[in-house]
Amino acid sequence: MSGESGSGGFGGFGGFGGFGGFGGFGGFGGSSNLGFGGLGPFLGAGADAIYDPVMAQGLEVTEQAITHVADRYPEPVANELGFSTPANMVLWADWVRGSLYITDFLKDLDWRIDEDDRTICLEYGDDTFLNIQRPDMDCFRKQLDFMIAYLDQRPDRTPEILTQVGFPIPYFAMILGLQSAPNRYTFELIAITQVLASHVAMIVKHHLACRRPDRIGAKVMPMIPTPAHGSFPSAHATEAFAVAEVLRGFVKHHKYHYTDFERRLALLSKLAERIAVNRTVAGVHYPIDTWAGAILGRAVGQIVLAKSHAGSRVHGYNYRAVGTKDFFVKEFLEGRNHEFGVADIDVFKVGTSPLFSFLWNKASEEFKLHNGSN
């Protein structure tokens, strides 16, 4: 490999803005409002609102009126919080936890560029999880035929396409029967997986710099605004398949809760395909974008599972896009898709993270059955 080396340390994550809970989700994948903080659904979550001037004045007057009574008692020595313990995470605002998860994940992420071969090699720790080559323009031109064939599905898929422009968390919640109050940490697990997948996808997109379908095919005419970043890989596919991978691991781990777990596993994979293919129907992604995103997303999901102490290993792949192939989740799940340009490389382990273990355990607590069994 030659060229540049990148570091996973993104620096600070300031500028968090406001966020009204897990009901609405912006994201890198669509027109996005992930913001400069890069925290997506965590933007400002858990932060208390600023008091209005009348309330602030009322508090000031009350303080002045009653504070003298505290002087009648001796000054105690304050207790300290535990040093560097994940247990303190419950005390922090959601966006603070989000920032910590991102930093923890990115510190072991790195990449190498080979300008001669036009490839980017993504590494986690000392191991490669994706070596992906930039397709040539002839490959993309062949993909336009698939995109034109998808156009007649737009009327049926329009509601999905428009509501999936940001992070489509409600679609995953539908499959698992999640609710905002009892499943707050499960939503947090989903949200951080999507944010991390977005960050990693943007690294690949930037370096490969592949033009969008409407830039090379006049008949594509996207039905939504074309995002201002590269086409390959699809960030929506990366996010969807990363979440599907994490939730598949989560469901398997909680078979006592989901006795129909095999059905839900199949539904999670099919939903990821549906979300990704909707972007092709909308006219903003080629099928090979989905292939690249799905492979990348699976790896990101496996890394999250491994860091969460879920016993997952990370499977590495080489990907060389084949312009004459469409995307099918059935083929993708087989893992060895040589005719589609996918080749296996090493399988490796990732060490657990106290922060991700905290999140996994808190989410798991939400699925205890209070009937005498776990």
Side-chain angles (χ1 to χ4, degrees):
M1 289 287 184
S2 63
E4 70 175 272
S5 174
S7 170
F10 272 59
F13 294 89
F16 297 109
F19 175 72
F22 282 101
F25 303 90
F28 257 153
S31 58
S32 87
N33 59 355
L34 235 177
F36 295 108
L39 284 173
F42 294 97
L43 293 174
D48 292 323
I50 300 298
Y51 293 137
D52 64 67
V54 174
M55 174 61 74
Q57 187 175 19
L59 293 172
E60 181 182 3
V61 170
T62 297
E63 174 270 321
Q64 293 175 351
I66 71 173
T67 190
H68 65 280
V69 302
D71 293 331
R72 300 173 186 173
Y73 301 91
E75 189 74 31
V77 177
N79 294 321
E80 292 185 321
L81 294 175
F83 177 75
S84 187
T85 172
N88 290 333
M89 294 280 279
V90 297
L91 304 175
W92 312 149
D94 302 7
W95 68 264
V96 176
R97 291 198 300 272
S99 179
L100 291 171
Y101 299 138
I102 291 175
T103 305
D104 186 89
F105 182 94
L106 293 179
K107 66 184 174 66
D108 291 319
L109 178 70
D110 206 348
W111 58 93
R112 290 177 289 136
I113 303 299
D114 187 331
E115 296 181 1
D116 296 330
D117 198 36
R118 304 205 306 176
T119 60
I120 179 171
C121 176
L122 292 172
E123 301 170 339
Y124 206 79
D126 296 323
D127 298 287
T128 297
F129 64 90
L130 181 61
N131 193 314
I132 185 169
Q133 185 179 53
R134 178 182 182 176
D136 58 30
M137 291 306 297
D138 183 60
C139 182
F140 287 120
R141 280 192 291 269
K142 291 175 181 176
Q143 289 279 286
L144 291 175
D145 291 337
F146 292 109
M147 301 199 65
I148 299 303
Y150 274 108
L151 294 183
D152 62 356
Q153 297 187 37
R154 286 182 176 180
D156 292 336
R157 296 198 183 209
T158 293
E160 293 174 87
I161 290 169
L162 296 182
T163 56
Q164 291 170 0
V165 167
F167 288 150
I169 293 181
Y171 288 86
F172 289 101
M174 173 179 66
I175 291 177
L176 299 188
L178 303 179
Q179 299 170 312
S180 58
N183 300 124
R184 58 171 295 193
Y185 284 105
T186 305
F187 278 117
E188 189 164 303
L189 178 63
I190 295 172
I192 194 57
T193 300
Q194 290 183 132
V195 172
L196 293 171
S198 295
H199 274 294
V200 178
M202 289 301 144
I203 295 168
V204 184
K205 282 174 174 283
H206 165 67
H207 288 290
L208 298 185
C210 298
R211 303 187 74 192
R212 291 279 181 170
D214 60 334
R215 302 302 198 269
I216 68 172
K219 295 172 65 176
V220 173
M221 295 188 218
M223 58 174 288
I224 57 177
T226 299
H229 46 75
S231 189
F232 181 87
S234 164
H236 267 70
T238 306
E239 297 157 12
F241 279 91
V243 171
E245 188 72 17
V246 169
L247 292 183
R248 282 171 59 88
F250 194 80
V251 168
K252 290 177 185 177
H253 192 74
H254 298 87
K255 294 179 183 178
Y256 58 84
H257 187 95
Y258 295 112
T259 55
D260 59 352
F261 71 95
E262 292 177 320
R263 295 181 175 184
R264 297 187 193 249
L265 297 180
L267 287 169
L268 287 168
S269 296
K270 194 63 178 177
L271 174 60
E273 177 194 44
R274 182 84 177 182
I275 291 169
V277 172
N278 280 342
R279 303 293 284 179
T280 298
V281 176
V284 295
H285 275 298
Y286 311 93
I288 57 173
D289 296 350
T290 295
W291 267 107
I295 296 167
L296 178 57
R298 175 166 54 191
V300 171
Q302 289 175 349
I303 293 171
V304 170
L305 285 173
K307 291 178 75 68
S308 300
H309 197 55
S312 176
R313 293 189 176 189
V314 182
H315 294 74
Y317 295 94
N318 286 317
Y319 181 55
R320 304 292 183 267
V322 179
T324 56
K325 298 293 185 180
D326 200 349
F327 177 82
F328 304 100
V329 73
K330 181 180 178 180
E331 300 290 344
F332 168 77
L333 292 176
E334 291 181 359
R336 296 177 176 84
N337 309 116
H338 297 290
E339 63 180 298
F340 292 87
V342 185
D344 297 340
I345 50 178
D346 293 338
V347 177
F348 62 93
K349 294 182 179 180
V350 171
T352 57
S353 157
L355 300 184
F356 280 86
S357 293
F358 160 85
L359 177 56
W360 180 272
N361 292 333
K362 295 296 288 186
S364 295
E365 289 174 5
E366 298 171 347
F367 289 84
K368 289 182 177 180
L369 300 179
H370 301 286
N371 59 358
S373 63
N374 286 332

